[in-house]
């Protein structure tokens, strides 16, 4: 019901549905005191989340990525890795800690709220796990919406071509919906290029989550330490990318699975909102917010320098 309400409000008022799902869910935090609701909330926050992330693979093909050019692909991939490393280093040195650094860096670098939820699923769990995840999701959604408004104006002010503007928007803005909105506000070519560049970043979610999950399992600290060596939802994501690239998924089926993925993700974030106390969020201070702002600026500078170098 929370997910459906969030979708309705997003479609009628234009704000990000993930943000609506979080806020509505947090208003229902009292449900955590009802033991009858806990199994369903946990199921939505974990199992439904993994299904949604796996189904993201149906949006991506190898042909889409190759159309960007080798130089752009390598530079964007390096930017994703660099942004995650910046987040990890800043988290270790600051009050947020390693876990928050990985969450925030991955969310900024890859695909916003979806990446944060996927990475959180394989990280060690502690008393701050859900608070950190919800803080990252709220902040990255707000930053992504702000970037959707400001970055097209920045691209115009810098005199970028439509192709370059598309690469810049797709390589920097956090959430897919905001990338689409920003890109097509410039031109169809910019929108197409931005969407493909963004989907390439989404494709990097698989190796990033896999690497983090394996590192946690090796140390015996992950959420699933001692379980299967590969998270099943990561394998599902990879399998769908391959199958879709081979042209084995009909267009109607791909559209249906993509829509189902969106419903799963907004449902999972609604559940995470229900599990989160607003009081706990107010105790984190400004440091985590400044960290994510710094990661966002770093990624924009990285992609901008790459375009200046002609990658």
């Amino acid at each position: 019901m929370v997910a459906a309400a969030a979708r309705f409000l997003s479609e009628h008022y234009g704000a990000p549905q993930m943000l609506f799902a979080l806020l509505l869910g947090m208003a229902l935090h009292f449900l955590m005191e009802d033991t009858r609701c806990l199994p369903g909330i946990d199921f939505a926050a974990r199992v439904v989340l993994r299904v949604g992330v796996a189904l993201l693979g149906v949006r991506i093909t190898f042909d889409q990525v190759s159309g960007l050019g080798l130089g752009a692909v390598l530079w964007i991939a390096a930017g994703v890795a660099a942004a995650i490393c910046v987040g990890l280093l800043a988290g270790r040195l600051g009050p947020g800690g390693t876990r928050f650094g990985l969450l925030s860096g991955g969310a900024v670098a890859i695909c916003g709220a979806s990446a944060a939820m996927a990475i959180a699923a394989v990280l060690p769990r502690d008393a701050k796990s859900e608070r950190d995840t919800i803080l990252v999701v709220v902040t990255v959604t707000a930053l992504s919406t702000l970037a959707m408004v400001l970055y097209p104006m920045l691209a115009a002010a810098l005199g970028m071509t439509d192709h370059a503007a598309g690469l810049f928007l797709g390589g920097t803005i956090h959430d897919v919906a905001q990338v689409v909105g920003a890109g097509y506000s410039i031109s169809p070519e910019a929108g197409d290029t931005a969407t493909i560049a963004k989907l390439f970043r989404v494709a990097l979610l698989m190796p990033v989550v896999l690497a983090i999950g394996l590192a946690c399992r090796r140390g015996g600290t992950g959420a699933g330490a001692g379980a299967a060596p590969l998270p099943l939802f990561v394998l599902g994501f990879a399998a769908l990318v391959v199958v879709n690239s081979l042209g084995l998924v009909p267009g109607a089926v791909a559209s249906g699975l993509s829509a189902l993925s969106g419903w799963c993700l907004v449902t999972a974030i609604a559940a995470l909102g229900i599990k989160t106390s607003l009081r706990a969020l107010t105790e984190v201070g400004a440091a985590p917010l400044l960290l994510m702002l710094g990661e966002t600026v770093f990624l924009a500078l990285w992609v901008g320098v790459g375009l200046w170098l002609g990658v």
Side-chain angles (χ1 to χ4, degrees):
M1 291 179 65
V2 173
R7 293 292 287 263
F8 176 86
L9 291 171
S10 177
E11 291 171 359
H12 286 76
Y13 296 99
Q17 63 179 350
M18 298 297 190
L19 184 59
F20 276 130
L22 282 172
L23 296 177
L24 292 173
M26 290 169 65
L28 297 175
H29 177 66
F30 64 88
L31 292 176
M32 290 298 295
E33 300 176 2
D34 189 338
T35 56
R36 297 172 299 176
C37 296
L38 292 180
I41 296 172
D42 286 335
F43 179 83
R46 297 188 183 188
V47 178
V48 174
L49 163 66
R50 287 164 168 79
V51 173
V53 172
L55 292 177
L56 284 174
V58 81
R59 302 183 183 184
I60 304 164
T61 66
F62 295 134
D63 287 341
Q64 290 174 332
V65 174
S66 63
L68 296 174
L70 181 60
V73 166
L74 293 178
W75 191 260
I76 291 174
V80 168
I84 293 174
C85 290
V86 167
L88 179 60
L89 179 61
R92 285 182 173 177
L93 297 177
T98 300
R99 189 183 192 281
F100 186 86
L102 274 175
L103 272 179
S104 61
V108 168
I110 304 174
C111 55
S114 301
M117 300 286 284
I119 293 171
V122 297
L123 283 176
R125 302 184 65 82
D126 56 32
K128 298 180 180 179
S129 297
E130 289 163 0
R131 187 201 68 182
D132 286 350
T133 303
I134 202 78
L135 178 63
V136 168
V137 170
V138 169
T139 306
V140 81
T141 301
L143 290 174
S144 187
T145 302
L146 184 63
M148 178 182 67
V149 176
L150 296 180
Y151 283 5
M153 293 188 289
L154 178 61
L158 295 176
M160 294 183 183
T161 65
D162 286 351
H163 180 74
L167 286 176
F168 177 73
L169 298 175
T172 55
I173 298 179
H174 313 317
D175 288 318
V176 176
Q178 280 85 337
V179 168
V180 172
Y184 286 104
S185 70
I186 296 177
S187 72
E189 180 185 354
D192 291 345
T193 303
T195 301
I196 295 170
K198 180 60 189 178
L199 290 178
F200 171 63
R201 288 167 64 199
V202 174
L204 295 177
L205 179 64
M206 181 198 68
V208 169
V209 173
L210 177 60
I212 294 174
L214 290 176
C216 291
R217 293 173 195 280
R218 187 176 298 116
T221 59
L230 297 178
L232 291 179
F233 72 94
V234 175
L235 292 178
F237 179 97
L240 283 175
V241 171
V242 173
V243 170
N244 197 34
S245 298
L246 294 174
L248 301 179
V249 182
V253 174
S255 297
L257 292 178
S258 179
L260 178 60
S261 172
W263 274 105
C264 288
L265 291 174
V266 73
T267 299
I269 290 185
L272 186 63
I274 293 174
K275 298 178 73 173
T276 302
S277 167
L278 181 61
R279 180 183 300 174
L281 285 181
T282 61
E283 297 173 354
V284 299
L289 307 181
L290 294 176
L291 169 60
M292 295 188 67
L293 178 61
E295 293 165 348
T296 299
V297 172
F298 170 82
L299 187 60
L301 290 174
W302 179 279
V303 176
V305 168
L307 292 173
W308 180 70
L309 294 174
V311 299

